[in-house]
Amino acid sequence: MVKASTELHQLDRSLVWSGFKQLAPISLFVIVFGAAFGLAAAQVGLSESTIMGMSTLVFAGASQFAVLDLWGAEMPLFTMMLTVFAINARHLLMGATLYPWLRQLPVPQRYGVMLTASDANWAMSMQAFNRGQPGLGVLLGGGLALWSFWIVGTWLGIHFGNAISDPASLGLDMVMGCFLLAMVVGGERNLRMLVIWSIAAIASLLAYWYLPENSHVVVGALAGGLAGMIRGGGKC
């Protein structure tokens, strides 16, 4: 991994705007899934303010959908919290990989940037760092793009969601997966990375087959992270 330097942790308005523009095209697809969530949440019986508040403050599509499955008159709060944690546990490793650059920012900026972290803008920021370019602008700006489009999509889903009630039927559920795969293929390519990704994939598949639902997210992330530490001599 590229070592942190003064230039690489640079964060200013122009870099944030550039990151926003880079992620804007993929963010258009996020509107569809936001709409699907808004519709599903409305059908469960949540109020518009609750739905919009959830998308604004949580900003985590998979875990928001998972919560809807558990929603009811007697909500299993502990189960709900555990499910959300399991699905979003990969953000712990995202933070760890970004720490060499984040640690050079003031604490409020550091955590403010991470509030917008998601799979897509994290992948693009890591690509920028690996090319020797500042990546925090991509992380923050791209995150703001994804977040704002997710909120817009949620609102559209509440009011007009019946237009696209099943994004998977149009193949739109594959968009983000294909995007992240492209980021992997376009990133660092060597034997070390092949071993790390292979271990993460195998561990995730085994967990998907044999462990409780959603545990494959945590298992795959931890396995890949540990493999990266071992293969990298204990460093990110």
Side-chain angles (χ1 to χ4, degrees):
M1 181 179 291
V2 180
K3 292 182 180 179
S5 69
T6 303
E7 287 120 11
L8 291 187
H9 80 265
Q10 181 182 352
L11 182 64
D12 56 38
R13 186 175 298 179
S14 63
L15 289 172
V16 173
W17 175 236
S18 176
F20 187 97
K21 292 187 291 184
Q22 287 184 57
L23 268 293
I26 193 71
S27 299
L28 292 173
F29 294 97
V30 173
I31 291 180
V32 179
F33 289 97
F37 170 74
L39 174 63
Q43 290 175 338
V44 168
L46 274 67
S47 66
E48 180 176 350
S49 59
T50 299
I51 298 170
M52 294 302 299
M54 187 185 296
S55 282
T56 302
L57 298 175
V58 178
F59 180 42
S63 61
Q64 289 179 225
F65 276 105
V67 165
L68 293 183
D69 291 334
L70 300 171
W71 201 274
E74 297 181 3
M75 291 184 293
L77 186 58
F78 178 76
T79 303
M80 188 180 296
M81 292 172 60
L82 190 61
T83 300
V84 171
F85 174 80
I87 295 174
N88 292 306
R90 66 192 187 282
H91 286 78
L92 297 173
L93 291 174
M94 288 182 191
T97 60
L98 292 165
Y99 182 69
W101 304 282
L102 287 172
R103 68 181 177 183
Q104 301 183 60
L105 298 178
V107 173
Q109 276 193 8
R110 186 185 309 171
Y111 288 100
V113 169
M114 283 305 296
L115 282 174
T116 66
S118 65
D119 299 296
N121 58 327
W122 168 79
M124 290 194 69
S125 67
M126 291 305 298
Q127 276 207 338
F129 285 130
N130 286 328
R131 292 194 302 265
Q133 300 171 350
L136 295 181
V138 177
L139 185 69
L140 178 56
L144 289 173
L146 294 164
W147 177 67
S148 58
F149 279 77
W150 174 255
I151 293 172
V152 170
T154 300
W155 184 87
L156 291 173
I158 296 171
H159 297 282
F160 310 103
N162 288 315
I164 304 180
S165 58
D166 184 13
S169 66
L170 302 177
L172 295 175
D173 59 323
M174 295 298 296
V175 172
M176 191 59 71
C178 292
F179 171 80
L180 292 173
L181 181 60
M183 292 295 98
V184 173
V185 172
E188 183 182 353
R189 285 175 286 184
N190 51 43
L191 180 60
R192 174 178 174 271
M193 293 303 296
L194 176 62
V195 170
I196 293 171
W197 280 106
S198 298
I199 290 174
I202 292 170
S204 184
L205 282 172
L206 290 174
Y208 181 81
W209 288 330
Y210 300 112
L211 294 180
E213 187 177 3
N214 295 320
S215 62
H216 64 286
V217 178
V218 181
V219 173
L222 290 177
L226 290 173
M229 290 180 63
I230 295 170
R231 293 288 298 180
K235 299 178 181 179
C236 289

